[in-house]
Amino acid sequence: MKIAVCDDDNFFLGQAEHAVKRWAEGQDLTVELQLFDNGDSLLTVSRTEQFDVLLLDIMMPLFNGMELAHVIRETNTAVKIVFLTSSPEFAVESYDVKASGYLLKPLQYEKLCSVLDDCKAPQDEESPHIIAKIPQGYHKIYLSEIECLEAQNKKTIFHLCSGKVQDALGTFSNYAKPLTIENGFFKCHRSYIVSIPQVDHFNTAQIRTRSGMQVPIARGYGKEFKEVYFAYMFQKETTND
């Protein structure tokens, strides 16, 4: 896990560092920990690195932790945010940035461990998703939101069911890994993967999605797509029954 702690109090930074390392040792977990004494520095680093957890002091001068969290959430929906503060007055606002924890100072080790355990635990109730690297940071995209994945030049394009388009940095093949037939996707062309439930019409050469997008089927893939499509839809109907 990659964890960042941001607090303008160097003494508390040392305490938090010790507590996080102690927790990691107890979990037999390798943690890459970075410490920041101001929000600007953390924000700069977070634009190029993806942290799993951010521990943010709220009461910092110039750029407080709550403001920092709001800015980070604009481009990163995946990172877990935990607030560290001496005041409970921001507890309600913490819900606006989907905080994973709100810990009062002085920090209680047992409560920190409980929050970090929750951050570490797999979110079984959460739908499958992809963490896409975008120019502004990182963005979580649920598989159920994807209509089509497209490779275009040196970028990967997510065409979403909502009609929105999200450009992502990184290789098409890397993002394609979870988009399997079992998850309801089919690679119909070297540059396209389509969501089977989002198919509205198709023939041997082309697929039309529900949004009206035209997706090509590569030569030789038409028969296989037809078989996969009807097998998937039959299985879905059987499951629903």
Side-chain angles (χ1 to χ4, degrees):
M1 292 180 69
K2 294 186 67 172
I3 299 176
V5 184
C6 185
D7 196 299
D8 62 323
D9 185 333
N10 288 326
F11 177 75
F12 181 81
L13 268 182
Q15 287 185 320
E17 178 184 19
H18 175 75
V20 172
K21 288 182 176 179
R22 179 183 169 190
W23 169 80
E25 290 176 2
Q27 295 283 325
D28 194 23
L29 180 70
T30 299
V31 168
E32 181 180 330
L33 183 63
Q34 294 191 44
L35 306 178
F36 300 88
D37 61 7
N38 65 85
D40 286 321
S41 298
L42 172 55
L43 183 61
T44 298
V45 174
S46 68
R47 286 170 176 157
T48 57
E49 293 189 40
Q50 183 180 6
F51 291 101
D52 297 299
V53 182
L54 301 178
L55 302 176
L56 305 180
D57 177 30
I58 292 182
M59 306 304 289
M60 293 188 291
L62 301 179
F63 195 21
N64 70 46
M66 190 61 69
E67 293 169 338
L68 175 61
H70 278 284
V71 173
I72 289 173
R73 270 290 179 254
E74 291 176 0
T75 58
N76 190 333
T77 58
V79 66
K80 304 291 179 63
I81 296 176
V82 178
F83 288 112
L84 309 170
T85 179
S86 56
S87 172
E89 65 178 291
F90 294 96
V92 174
E93 188 178 352
S94 69
Y95 287 101
D96 293 339
V97 292
K98 297 180 173 58
S100 297
Y102 193 94
L103 301 177
L104 293 176
K105 297 179 180 179
L107 189 62
Q108 296 184 35
Y109 177 69
E110 292 76 14
K111 290 187 177 180
L112 174 65
C113 288
S114 178
V115 169
L116 291 178
D117 286 344
D118 290 341
C119 291
K120 171 181 171 291
Q123 302 299 310
D124 296 331
E125 73 281 0
E126 187 173 26
S127 300
H129 59 272
I130 292 173
I131 303 300
K133 188 176 188 330
I134 62 177
Q136 301 83 7
Y138 297 88
H139 184 64
K140 181 188 294 183
I141 300 177
Y142 293 98
L143 268 56
S144 60
E145 296 179 305
I146 301 172
E147 185 175 75
C148 178
L149 189 69
E150 177 186 1
Q152 188 178 102
N153 299 324
K154 295 183 179 181
K155 63 183 179 181
T156 301
I157 302 175
F158 287 85
H159 297 272
L160 305 181
C161 300
S162 63
K164 295 182 180 179
V165 175
Q166 178 65 69
D167 293 351
L169 307 176
T171 64
F172 178 79
S173 60
N174 186 52
Y175 288 123
K177 290 178 181 178
L179 304 184
T180 62
I181 292 176
E182 292 73 21
N183 286 330
F185 293 87
F186 184 84
K187 187 175 182 180
C188 57
H189 187 280
R190 66 179 182 179
S191 299
Y192 292 91
I193 296 176
V194 68
S195 169
I196 298 173
Q198 295 302 316
V199 173
D200 183 61
H201 172 82
F202 70 92
N203 54 38
T204 57
Q206 194 172 68
I207 296 168
R208 186 179 69 217
T209 66
R210 291 184 179 182
S211 71
M213 181 180 177
Q214 304 294 331
V215 182
I217 299 179
R219 183 178 299 178
Y221 279 67
K223 181 180 178 181
E224 183 182 358
F225 176 73
K226 179 181 177 180
E227 293 174 351
V228 169
Y229 175 82
F230 284 112
Y232 180 85
M233 297 309 292
F234 175 76
Q235 181 182 14
K236 184 177 181 181
E237 290 179 6
T238 303
T239 303
N240 291 337
D241 291 340

